Amino acid sequence: MADALRIGIAGLGTVGAALVRILQQRSNELAVSCGRPLVVTAVSARDRTRDRGADLSGITWYDDPLELAASADIDVFVELVGGANGAAHDSVRAALARGVHVVTANKALLAYHGVDLARIAEANSVILNYEAAVAGGIPVIKAMRESLTGNSFSRIYGIMNGTCNYILTRMEKEGLSFADCLAEAQRLGYAEADPAFDIDGNDTAHKLAILTTLAFGSEIAADEIYLEGISNISIDDIHAAADLGYRIKLLGVAQRTETGIEQRVHPTMVPLDSVIAQVDGVTNAVALESDILGELLMVGPGAGGNATASAVLGDITDIAKSRPGAQQVPVLGRPAHLLEPYRQAAMRSHEGGYFIRLRVADRIGVFASIAGRMAENGISLESIVQHAKRQPEAGAPQTIILVTHATMEGAVRQAVSAIREEGYLVGEPQVIRIERPKNG
Ligand SMILES: NC(=O)c1ccc[n+]([C@@H]2O[C@H](COP(=O)([O-])OP(=O)(O)OC[C@H]3O[C@@H](n4cnc5c(N)ncnc54)[C@H](OP(=O)(O)O)[C@@H]3O)[C@@H](O)[C@H]2O)c1
């Protein structure tokens, strides 16, 4: 049997501790399948006294991940600390620069420093693997980087944040408000104490930015993503969507268009009978549309210690099986120096269907005025209905719901602003984009 692969793990939290346990429990099976033992030789975390649920005797402890990255006793540096900058970034950079393979689950790190880190890895002929950074246990990075080589992608989209999907699912199934569902997600440990990062769409955006690069061969552009979170979604929107045959999901979507690449994260109406509409709770899903394969939808656990550690483990075993000096899979799907500059498509030129919910004063002529503003902006309507579970009292504001045929975002914005100027709107209009899967 070949020499052991010596693994240094920085971060012994949810994912890191699960990884150490699995490596220890499965050591025999892993040695057989990799042709060499996988041994954790060193770890790093902040608190030496905390019980990690794993046997750390005989393993060198470093307080500083940077010292672990510099250790001569490791062949692979596994970064499970988190954060785009600071200890995670410094230690990953240092490990790659001295020719040590790296595995990370850190989407923020990849989203902001991925191209730079890929350049360093490729210059030093070492592997940088990051399967767990997108959709946890779903092997989407390997699928895009390796299995689907040669495919030309047209669109990728997915449910990549379990917290948001859990909240939207609960709102629909239990008829609860956004605030109630968020509080429950926090109580169950699905949402952080500060949930803004998840519900504002930033977490999804980081993952989307990585997939966009793999799909379209452009540099990572995490700051050029159109972002709308879910805190604005009301139970009325969810009911209205269901009545029209849709379900609301927070999707990350990247699409190649004639004017550039669209990257957007926003609440989206998907047809009720589509497969992605059935993805409930904390589960994640990623759909890839490409010319040779058609559509591939992968569904699975997007987070959790074991599911994430499973993806990290897969990355480690790939390194264990790699041959020294052999050609490596390019970190971002193509060599970093061949990535193209990112060309952003303007959000105003996004084309798709729209759901528009308006609360209006009960006045004669409002319906005709709304239809008129739509027509003036060249928007063709699939439906326009007065919507109410119960007949509203005479004189009370009415709800009007419009669904458009495929139209330009710019036209919708212009029509809504013209409607605003008419003076009969009550409260803010709600606009939700509609996304149709290729094959239902
Ligand atoms: N949790 C998931 O389900 C999941 C899913 C996909 C991807 N990820 C990614 O996986 C990574 C780890 O996530 P996690 O949930 O395992 O995080 P976590 O539970 O917060 O664990 C972080 C670990 O890093 C250690 N740490 C933090 N700052 C440090 C520093 N300056 N020096 C040394 N150690 C430090 C902590 O030490 P102490 O324990 O001593 O405080 C802790 O062990 C993140 O990038 C995350 O985005 C997580």
Side-chain angles (χ1 to χ4, degrees), residues 11-15 45-47 50 52 65 80 82 105-107 303-304 308:
L12 294 176
T14 308
V15 183
R46 285 174 300 205
D47 183 352
R50 188 179 298 171
R52 311 283 171 174
L80 299 170
N106 189 336
K107 55 232 147 192
T308 311

Side-chain angles (χ1 to χ4, degrees), residues 33-96:
S33 80
C34 295
R36 59 196 293 200
L38 307 187
V39 181
V40 181
T41 51
V43 293
S44 175
R46 285 174 300 205
D47 183 352
R48 278 183 193 238
T49 62
R50 188 179 298 171
D51 180 9
R52 311 283 171 174
D55 180 9
L56 300 181
S57 56
I59 298 177
T60 310
W61 180 285
Y62 292 90
D63 290 322
D64 184 352
L66 199 52
E67 278 177 41
L68 169 56
S71 149
D73 295 334
I74 59 168
D75 303 306
V76 186
F77 177 72
V78 182
E79 185 275 306
L80 299 170
V81 171
N85 298 303
H89 180 225
D90 296 346
S91 56
V92 165
R93 220 169 188 282
L96 293 172

Side-chain angles (χ1 to χ4, degrees), residues 139-429:
V140 61
I141 305 295
K142 199 175 185 86
M144 293 183 79
R145 235 173 34 159
E146 299 177 47
S147 318
L148 299 176
T149 305
N151 275 266
S152 171
F153 294 93
S154 49
R155 179 173 64 159
I156 51 172
Y157 59 93
I159 296 170
M160 293 180 271
N161 184 274
T163 308
C164 290
N165 206 45
Y166 173 82
I167 291 172
L168 292 171
T169 303
R170 291 285 296 173
M171 285 176 76
E172 184 188 351
K173 289 206 179 352
E174 313 293 332
L176 298 172
S177 70
F178 170 80
D180 287 346
C181 293
L182 173 59
E184 188 176 312
Q186 284 172 313
R187 193 171 48 78
L188 292 171
Y190 295 149
E192 304 287 333
D194 174 8
F197 198 69
D198 289 323
I199 63 176
D200 291 350
N202 286 293
D203 175 72
T204 302
H206 288 163
K207 296 164 183 171
L208 182 68
I210 299 167
L211 295 189
T212 301
T213 287
L214 291 174
F216 304 122
S218 55
E219 289 180 351
I220 302 176
D223 284 331
E224 310 211 26
I225 298 182
Y226 176 83
L227 212 59
E228 259 178 47
I230 62 165
S231 53
N232 213 11
I233 297 296
S234 71
I235 194 70
D236 288 345
D237 295 320
I238 288 183
H239 286 151
D243 289 349
L244 292 163
Y246 294 98
R247 188 163 280 150
I248 300 175
K249 298 287 183 192
L250 182 78
L251 291 193
V253 186
Q255 190 168 7
R256 196 196 281 286
T257 74
E258 279 172 13
T259 58
I261 296 169
E262 264 180 26
Q263 289 190 102
R264 45 196 169 86
V265 175
H266 50 70
T268 312
M269 301 209 338
V270 291
L272 266 178
D273 58 2
S274 63
V275 183
I276 199 146
Q278 319 308 318
V279 176
D280 275 352
V282 293
T283 305
N284 280 202
V286 182
L288 309 173
E289 291 175 358
S290 69
D291 55 350
I292 310 177
L293 179 71
E295 187 177 25
L296 172 66
L297 180 74
M298 292 184 268
V299 179
N306 278 347
T308 311
S310 162
V312 174
L313 183 60
D315 280 349
I316 296 172
T317 59
D318 274 352
I319 292 170
K321 293 172 195 164
S322 67
R323 281 176 295 117
Q327 175 93 13
Q328 316 290 11
V329 177
V331 176
L332 295 169
R334 60 168 73 178
H337 70 277
L338 294 180
L339 290 168
E340 290 166 11
Y342 179 74
R343 195 160 68 97
Q344 185 183 22
M347 197 56 199
R348 290 183 76 83
S349 52
H350 165 67
E351 199 176 339
Y354 289 79
F355 161 99
I356 304 166
R357 182 168 62 80
L358 306 170
R359 293 248 301 149
V360 297
D362 186 17
R363 270 195 226 158
I364 291 170
V366 167
F367 232 73
S369 159
I370 293 170
R373 301 296 82 80
M374 291 288 150
E376 279 162 19
N377 285 284
I379 299 170
S380 143
L381 294 177
E382 194 176 290
S383 66
I384 171 167
V385 291
Q386 190 167 334
H387 191 267
K389 285 272 169 231
R390 280 177 286 112
Q391 188 62 33
E393 286 167 27
Q398 316 276 318
T399 299
I400 293 178
I401 289 174
L402 304 100
V403 176
T404 76
H405 287 297
T407 188
M408 302 283 266
E409 171 114 1
V412 171
R413 289 188 193 177
Q414 221 159 299
V416 169
S417 106
I419 288 170
R420 225 189 265 275
E421 280 168 22
E422 299 283 336
Y424 48 68
L425 276 188
V426 179
E428 279 302 297

